[in-house]
Amino acid sequence: MNALCRLLGLQIQNSYQQRNFAPWCAGPRLEYFEVSSRIDLAIKEAAKSLCRHKVGAVLIKGSRVLAMSSNRYRNSPGVDFMNATFHAEEVVLRRFTPARGATIYVARVNRIGETALARPCERCQAALLERGVRRACYTTSTGFEVLKLTSF
């Protein structure tokens, strides 16, 4: 906590505020750092993809990583017919099915390594919602956005 506050240029005034996460140090800034580090995991997964559009996804519940994967070719010899899919979100859901209350982080990387728009398609949104995932964080060309999944 002290390191984070120093990074933000803030000072902790007493131990009570340190234990109870001082209100001027918690909130959106802390959330930003948390989401940013999890998006970085998805970016690393996207870089592993062999597809033209490199997309990676990470499923997290609380502070625990449940599953990670990148998108795959349908004809890849390493992917059997039953699990053949392009979308990283679907691969992650197949690796870890009970995802109630989890959050998925999706990232796309272009040819030169910059992040690009990775908003889940309607089919993936429906699959995520069906499995209980309530929030999707995805990259854009300028950073990331959060999508709250609700019924269509």
Side-chain angles (χ1 to χ4, degrees):
M1 186 67 188
N2 281 336
L4 177 62
C5 289
R6 277 196 302 268
L7 181 68
L8 296 173
L10 303 172
Q11 293 179 351
I12 296 179
Q13 295 173 353
N14 61 37
S15 61
Y16 175 79
Q17 288 177 331
Q18 183 177 0
R19 282 194 309 273
N20 293 314
F21 299 102
W24 36 261
C25 193
R29 290 182 179 175
L30 192 58
E31 177 76 14
Y32 174 82
F33 287 119
E34 179 181 317
V35 171
S36 180
S37 65
R38 293 173 178 189
I39 286 284
D40 287 343
L41 285 174
I43 290 171
K44 287 177 185 176
E45 281 299 312
K48 295 177 186 177
S49 175
L50 301 175
C51 297
R52 184 173 150 215
H53 299 287
K54 298 175 181 292
V55 179
V58 179
L59 186 67
I60 296 179
K61 184 172 184 179
S63 62
R64 185 172 164 209
V65 175
L66 304 176
M68 303 184 341
S69 185
S70 60
N71 57 340
R72 299 177 181 221
Y73 282 117
R74 290 183 188 261
N75 319 7
S76 175
V79 179
D80 64 335
F81 179 76
M82 295 300 291
N83 293 321
T85 182
F86 274 123
H87 298 214
E89 300 94 323
E90 292 177 337
V91 177
V92 164
L93 289 177
R94 287 183 177 155
R95 288 188 177 178
F96 196 89
T97 359
R100 297 263 176 240
T103 301
I104 192 161
Y105 297 84
V106 186
R108 180 176 162 203
V109 180
N110 63 15
R111 291 181 187 144
I112 58 175
E114 298 173 341
T115 58
L117 183 65
R119 183 182 173 111
C121 67
E122 288 185 16
R123 187 181 80 204
C124 289
Q125 287 181 31
L128 291 167
L129 189 61
E130 181 182 323
R131 300 276 172 73
V133 177
R134 296 289 178 230
R135 196 168 92 164
C137 299
Y138 59 93
T139 58
T140 63
S141 58
T142 59
F144 63 86
E145 291 187 20
V146 178
L147 173 68
K148 292 191 179 185
L149 300 169
T150 58
S151 58
F152 294 103

